[in-house]
Amino acid sequence: MIINPEIHIVPRDLDKGAAVLTASEIEARINGIELPPLLLSVLPDDGRSVVFDKGGEIEPVEASPIAGDKKRQLVFSLFGLSDGQDGILKNYLRLKGRIDGDMLPIGDDGLDNAFLLDPRTDKVLFWHHECEEGEGSPKALTEVAPSLAAFLSALRPEQDFDSAELKRGVKAVRLDIF
């Protein structure tokens, strides 16, 4: 397997009522975009999505607005073959028309942002849904890795953030809970 041996994949439970589809069923519903065999080889045999036992992160080629100075981009999950919330199909349909181009969603950061595979270039991109120029702007997309293989091999366990790093630049925090 191409994934860093320090990364341990944990299959996620299916959403209630969700079914696992075949790759060809999904491809037929996503404009014929081919699901990469490499991505399918990383998923469990039953096609469920996966998370990482110690979290996951990657150093992107191009820093996204939320990657920070350390260029650490969190990777929460890789989407699976289900028709549920954590499946490739549901996320493709959710993002269709919201992003620049016809991209294949392959994972997320847990904050409603997505990792996308560009079928034209084979690059893995990060889509930031709160981009200042708008979520449909090309600026909402930043390059994470030059290929899916490079993306998967560059994944590493999430490292704890230094509390001083988190506090830098923060003057006050206020939570209004109703």
Side-chain angles (χ1 to χ4, degrees):
M1 191 178 301
I2 194 161
I3 287 189
N4 178 338
E6 295 178 8
I7 290 283
H8 299 107
I9 291 175
V10 179
R12 295 180 74 183
D13 292 335
L14 288 173
D15 295 336
K16 186 173 183 171
V20 175
L21 307 172
T22 66
S24 58
E25 288 173 314
I26 294 172
E27 291 167 349
R29 295 176 64 186
I30 60 173
N31 292 336
I33 298 172
E34 185 178 335
L35 298 180
L38 182 57
L39 178 62
L40 298 176
S41 74
V42 172
L43 298 176
D45 290 340
D46 61 7
R48 290 183 288 162
S49 67
V50 297
V51 293
F52 312 104
D53 69 339
K54 296 177 184 167
E57 68 180 27
I58 191 168
E59 183 176 331
V61 168
E62 179 183 2
S64 74
I66 62 174
D69 294 340
K70 302 251 186 214
K71 289 184 71 176
R72 292 166 53 182
Q73 183 68 57
L74 297 180
V75 181
F76 177 70
S77 73
L78 297 178
F79 298 139
L81 302 180
S82 83
D83 60 0
Q85 296 299 323
D86 57 352
I88 291 169
L89 177 61
K90 182 76 94 177
N91 283 282
Y92 175 84
L93 296 173
R94 175 178 71 91
L95 298 175
K96 184 87 175 129
R98 293 175 65 190
I99 57 174
D100 183 44
D102 204 16
M103 310 278 183
L104 179 68
I106 60 169
D108 72 342
D109 69 349
L111 300 171
D112 208 25
N113 302 303
F115 292 96
L116 309 165
L117 181 64
D118 185 338
R120 298 165 300 196
T121 65
D122 290 328
K123 292 180 179 181
V124 175
L125 306 173
F126 178 74
W127 174 71
H128 183 226
H129 78 281
E130 293 177 338
C131 176
E132 289 182 20
E133 288 81 7
E135 64 182 21
S137 165
K139 290 185 177 184
L141 299 171
T142 54
E143 184 179 347
V144 177
S147 67
L148 179 59
F151 175 79
L152 293 172
S153 65
L155 285 173
R156 62 184 183 226
E158 182 180 343
Q159 302 192 6
D160 291 332
F161 281 94
D162 178 5
S163 62
E165 178 184 343
L166 291 175
K167 293 176 187 174
R168 186 172 13 111
V170 176
K171 294 179 180 161
V173 174
R174 176 181 161 182
L175 300 175
D176 290 327
I177 302 174
F178 298 94

